[in-house]
Amino acid sequence: MANRQLADQDKELLQLHERNGDLDLEVQNLKEELATVKRDRPENKNSAPAVAEFPQAADLLNQLKSQRKKSKADLVDIETVLEILST
């Protein structure tokens, strides 16, 4: 009786593993399909990556100084910030 029950449980476990594998494959296929649909959407085809254009460091420093008269930033600081932002 116990052997029969173990055999039935093994069979059920095997079926569950097969079903799980089928579901994993279905999920993978759906992910690939979603990626394809997203890539093929017109709004994604026509969009270019955003590229920020920053003003010259000296101009930016002048704007900062006009708005914050007591700012301790200097031209090297602004150039460094622009380099950080552009990477």
Side-chain angles (χ1 to χ4, degrees), residues 16-82:
L16 289 173
H17 280 297
E18 288 174 356
R19 183 169 183 250
N20 188 37
D22 291 344
L23 291 174
D24 284 341
L25 183 60
E26 185 177 351
V27 167
Q28 182 180 350
N29 290 339
L30 289 172
K31 284 181 178 180
E32 290 172 5
E33 184 179 341
L34 178 61
T36 301
V37 168
K38 282 183 176 180
R39 185 182 60 241
D40 292 343
R41 292 180 76 180
E43 59 268 20
N44 291 338
K45 283 185 174 182
N46 296 333
S47 65
V51 176
E53 292 187 24
F54 300 108
Q56 294 294 318
D59 295 334
L60 199 54
L61 179 61
N62 289 335
Q63 289 177 21
L64 175 66
K65 294 286 185 175
S66 70
Q67 292 179 14
R68 299 194 54 193
K69 306 265 188 249
K70 295 182 180 182
S71 173
K72 293 181 171 58
D74 59 16
L75 187 57
V76 175
D77 295 330
I78 300 299
E79 288 172 341
T80 303
V81 169
L82 289 174

